[in-house]
Amino acid sequence: MSLNKAFTIFGGTGDLTFRKLMPAQYNMTAANAEEAQSRIIIIGRRDYTTEQYCELVRDWVKKFARLPYEEKTFEVFAKRISYFKMDISDLNEYARLSEYYTAENIDDHVFYLAVAPKFFGVIASGLKAVKEASLGKVILEKPFGEDLESAKELNKQLETFFPAENIYRIDHYLGKEMVRNIQTIRFTNPIFANLWNSQYIESVQISAFEDLGIGTRGGYYDTSGALKDMVQNHLFQILSIVAMEWPEQFSTTAMHDAQLRVLRALRPVEDVRDSLVLGQYKGYRQEKSVPTDSTTETYAALRLFIDNERWWNTPFYIRTGKKLRCREMQIAIVFRQTFISAPRNILIIKIQPNEGVHLQFNVKTPGDTDEITQAKMDFSQSSSISSRINTPEAYERLITACIKGERSWFSQWDQIETSWDFVEHLKDLYRWDKLPVFTYEQGSDGPAEADNLLKRFGDEWVF
Ligand code: BG6
C-alpha cells in the first residue's frame, strides 16, 4: 500500500458509498489492482470508530461486490479504511482534516464527493483553504446543479478551487461494459460501419426501462424527474456515442469533441407534441417526500433529429421510465427495408441486465417456398459466470480510470452544458403548451401516448 495516497469519500455513510463505492474498492483490492494501493478515508458525520464502520461495510460488500466475499481479502481491504468524523459544512473543520493528512503523511489525493451538489462548493473551498485541493483530483456525482444556471455557477465555483483537468464528472453509464463496446461494434465491423447513416438506418431507439420506483429518493427525484435524472446525462451520452463521427484519433479530446458536435447538432424542436411525451406512474404521488400534487415526470419519450449530413433523416427515439414492466436497457438500430415485403434488419446492443448483441436478418423459409423468415442471432456476453466475474463494474472502472488520469471515461463540462440547455428548453416548451403528464400503470410499458408518438410517423418501438 502506498501510504502517502488516499481516496477520500465525502458522504461516507450514504447509499452510494455503501452500494457502489466500497464494493468497487473491495473488488479492486481483491483483484490486487495497482489503483487499490491507497488508503481510504471515509468522511462522515456519524459517530463511528473505524472498526464499527468496517463492520457495516462488510455486510454491503457481501451483498454488492462482484467478487466473492473472502475473510482474508476483507481484512486486507479493511486495513485500507479509516473513518474520520467531521461536519463537512463547517469550514473550520478542514484544518483538522489537513492536520490528519499531515500526521498520516498523505499528500496525494483523490476526493470523491458522494454528497448533494449543495455541498460541492463548501468542500472544495475547505480543501482549497488548507491547500489539499492542489494535491489531488476530485470526482463529482451528478446532478451537476439543478438547472443550467446552477450548473454553470457550480462549475465556475469548482474551477476556482480545482484545476479544470483535475475535475472528474462521473456518469456511471460511461463505465458500463456494453457502452464501452458501442464504438468497437460500430467502427471495427465494416458491415455496420459502412451503413451507419441516414441512407441505411431508419431509426435509432434507445430504451432504458427500470422496474423499480424512486424508493427513498423522493426529495431529490421530485425536483429532477426523468429528463434530468436519466436523459440529460446517461442517455445523451449514449446518443452521442452512437451518432458521433469517427474521431480522428482516439485521444480524449478528439472523442469529447466528436460527442459534443453531435449534441450541438441536435435539431431545435419546432412542435413539442412531435418530440416529447411525459408520464408519471400511478402511485408516485403517494411516495415518501413527494407532494401529493406533483407533476414530475417518471417517464419520458423523445423523438429527436441530428442536423448533420450523416443523420439528417433518421429519428432518434429515446425513452426511459421507472416502475415499468422490467429492467432492461438496449439500443436498437433499425435498418431501412430494401424490399417492401421483407422485415427490417435490426441490430440490438444490449446494455443491461444481459450484455450482448442481437441481430435480426432475413433467410428463406426452409422447404419448397420462397417465403421469408426472420433469423435471430444472439451473442450473449454476460451469460457465463466467468465473464461476469472478470468484467469490472462501472464504478470500479471509473475510479481506476480517474486514478490513472484517463479522462475519456468522464463527462466534460461543455457536453453537460449543451445537454442541460437542450433538455431544459424542451421541458419549457412542453409546459408552455400545457401538455399533460400522462399517468401510466405500474408494470406497463409507459403511457400509450409514447407509442403514438412513433405511430404517427409510421414507426414503432422495437423493444
Ligand atoms: C442514476 C439515476 O443516475 O441512474 C437513478 O439517478 C437511476 O434514478 C440509475 O435509477 C440507473 O442506473 P443503472 O446503472 O441501475 O441503470
Side-chain angles (χ1 to χ4, degrees), residues 20 142 172-173 176 210 217 220-221 229-230 233-234 322 327 352:
K20 302 283 188 188
K142 64 150 249 268
H172 76 282
Y173 267 57
K176 290 190 190 273
E210 293 188 88
R217 300 163 74 220
Y220 149 73
Y221 193 88
D229 184 54
M230 287 290 289
N233 37 64
H234 307 321
K322 301 227 179 255
R327 174 172 185 255
Q352 65 184 27

Side-chain angles (χ1 to χ4, degrees), residues 143 146 217-225 228 284 291 294 296 427:
E146 279 150 21
R217 300 163 74 220
Y220 149 73
Y221 193 88
D222 199 65
T223 59
S224 170
K228 291 183 186 170
Y284 172 75
S294 167
T296 298
K427 202 164 179 181

